[in-house]
Amino acid sequence: MSEHLNTPSQENIKVIDRKLADAFNNLPDDVLLDRKFMIETPDGQTEVSVEDFGRKYEIDEAGNRTGEKYPIIRFKDETGNVTEVPTEEFLSRTLLSADEITNMISDETSKGEKSETLYKPIQEKEIVSPKEDYEPRLSQLFSPVKDETRPEVVEDYDSWFDKDNEVFDPSIDSQTQIESAANRLPANERLRVTPESQKMAEKRLEIAGDGDPNLKLIFDKYSPKGTNLSDLLRNDEDFRTDVGVYLLHKLNNLAINEKTIGQQIKDNSEKSPATTGYSHIPELRSREYATLLAISMLDGTFKDELVQSNTIEYADDGEVLLGQHRAAANELLGLK
């Protein structure tokens, strides 16, 4: 639809602040992506469509990140040119008044609150073709974390930090190191979730919920159970499935609409991860694995201390070249 309204009068001065811009950027993907707006340009008015939106770090005069982030909008004009600007600037250039923008946000938010469906379910064909196989596939993908028998069980967690441990061998490629960090270790609960990984999971749950209103709705739906959310996400099949289905659907949209997503994610080819704990899933696809990797970051089974900081590499145009699955997981959770 096109938001083509009359130009605001002088009496209706538009005041766009960061709070309003953040609220606008918090609208769901299916509300903003490809939505059309009329904006003012130096050459007159033109119709544009929203290509992407998110947040970026503010940079100080020395070129360093300040730690603060600001909302941005990427839009495409009628000639196909793509422009990225702060959301405050984009909204100020639209023909919508501040009140109209506020009402639009309010209307869309109320629709989401009234809907019994918190998120759009994935089409069956995106996972498997036969309809009767859909539910079993979800059970395979998002079953609670369980021990997996391995030939050799690591009894001492300190051995993971031994400089001679293969996880830290520089000859091992970075993707294998990432996958080792996400391993679901067997038998000893202390090996599966450490105080450090638990703390990071709780932090990521907060970041992910704050950055994604739909995900926050799912978290709130299960939080009355009174259990720590990361613990619940490991053990509660309904909670895990709700989060997993939503994230997988979100990644399917990103793979189509986000140009910087890695080619493996776009192709959704079969993935054979080095990570233990997923061998029970036949023909695991790249998007499914990236989704499971994101869940491991929320449930405490992903161990950051086993991953080098430079395991994700980008092309000049921003496309992810190395560490594509971890980058996609970060994108899903708003961690980049």
Side-chain angles (χ1 to χ4, degrees):
M1 78 187 74
S2 176
E3 309 295 336
H4 191 170
L5 303 179
N6 293 329
T7 305
S9 65
Q10 291 299 319
E11 289 77 16
N12 191 6
I13 299 175
K14 189 184 307 188
V15 178
I16 307 299
D17 57 18
R18 180 63 53 84
K19 184 177 180 180
L20 184 60
D22 277 331
F24 186 83
N25 270 42
N26 281 334
L27 290 171
D29 288 3
D30 58 358
V31 172
L32 287 186
L33 290 180
D34 295 325
R35 190 163 186 157
K36 298 185 184 301
F37 294 84
M38 292 298 297
I39 67 170
E40 297 281 2
T41 72
D43 299 324
Q45 298 177 0
T46 187
E47 185 178 71
V48 300
S49 60
V50 175
E51 290 285 292
D52 196 8
F53 57 99
R55 304 184 76 190
K56 280 196 170 183
Y57 282 102
E58 292 183 352
I59 306 297
D60 61 22
E61 294 180 356
N64 301 314
R65 293 177 176 177
T66 65
E68 297 295 321
K69 291 183 178 180
Y70 64 94
I72 61 98
I73 291 287
R74 189 179 302 160
F75 61 88
K76 181 169 65 176
D77 63 22
E78 295 171 315
T79 64
N81 292 323
V82 177
T83 305
E84 181 180 290
V85 298
T87 303
E88 293 104 309
E89 178 182 338
F90 174 78
L91 293 177
S92 69
R93 290 170 60 182
T94 69
L95 303 190
L96 297 170
S97 69
D99 286 343
E100 288 166 337
I101 295 169
T102 301
N103 289 337
M104 171 187 165
I105 295 170
S106 178
D107 289 345
E108 295 295 345
T109 301
S110 63
K111 287 179 186 177
E113 292 173 349
K114 293 176 182 178
S115 175
E116 295 181 0
T117 303
L118 300 181
Y119 46 84
K120 187 187 299 181
I122 301 172
Q123 297 297 321
E124 286 85 347
K125 65 180 181 180
E126 293 176 341
I127 297 180
V128 288
S129 296
K131 186 173 183 179
E132 61 270 18
D133 290 341
Y134 181 60
E135 288 300 330
R137 183 64 173 180
L138 292 183
S139 296
Q140 290 174 333
L141 287 173
F142 306 123
S143 60
V145 175
K146 296 179 180 179
D147 295 345
E148 178 172 287
T149 302
R150 287 166 52 180
E152 295 182 12
V153 176
V154 179
E155 296 293 346
D156 182 6
Y157 183 73
D158 291 338
S159 67
W160 283 90
F161 296 96
D162 191 320
K163 66 180 180 179
D164 295 324
N165 188 293
E166 64 176 7
V167 173
F168 297 97
D169 187 337
S171 66
I172 298 178
D173 65 271
S174 60
Q175 183 62 33
T176 299
Q177 293 183 36
I178 291 172
E179 294 173 347
S180 296
N183 276 345
R184 300 174 179 180
L185 299 171
N188 192 329
E189 183 69 21
R190 183 166 60 91
L191 297 181
R192 184 182 299 132
V193 179
T194 68
E196 292 79 10
S197 68
Q198 180 80 23
K199 184 176 180 180
M200 284 301 301
E202 292 170 358
K203 181 178 179 181
R204 284 170 173 148
L205 281 163
E206 182 178 356
I207 293 172
D210 289 345
D212 187 331
N214 287 331
L215 201 54
K216 181 66 161 57
L217 285 174
I218 302 174
F219 293 167
D220 290 346
K221 174 183 175 182
Y222 288 90
S223 59
K225 290 194 175 185
T227 306
N228 180 288
L229 277 182
S230 62
D231 293 339
L232 193 66
L233 191 56
R234 289 196 305 277
N235 300 302
D236 188 293
E237 185 170 5
D238 291 338
F239 183 28
R240 196 172 179 85
T241 300
D242 276 3
V243 171
V245 169
Y246 172 69
L247 290 179
L248 185 53
H249 173 74
K250 182 177 180 179
L251 185 54
N252 285 334
N253 282 335
L254 287 172
I256 295 171
N257 297 305
E258 178 54 68
K259 295 179 180 179
T260 59
I261 287 289
Q263 193 61 46
Q264 290 178 338
I265 308 298
K266 293 176 183 175
D267 293 342
N268 200 25
S269 53
E270 189 171 337
K271 170 68 177 171
S272 299
T275 313
T276 62
Y278 302 113
S279 61
H280 63 289
I281 305 174
E283 299 179 352
L284 184 66
R285 318 302 293 186
S286 274
R287 295 178 200 172
E288 293 174 339
Y289 177 64
T291 299
L292 292 170
L293 194 60
I295 293 176
S296 79
M297 294 177 177
L298 299 180
D299 70 14
T301 59
F302 186 91
K303 296 180 178 61
D304 291 77
E305 61 267 25
L306 302 183
V307 181
Q308 295 178 352
S309 60
N310 60 345
T311 49
I312 299 176
E313 294 185 14
Y314 300 87
D316 290 341
D317 62 359
E319 182 180 355
V320 182
L321 300 177
L322 297 177
Q324 295 183 27
H325 295 90
R326 188 186 182 201
N330 287 340
E331 179 85 15
L332 284 175
L333 303 180
L335 300 178
K336 67 174 185 176

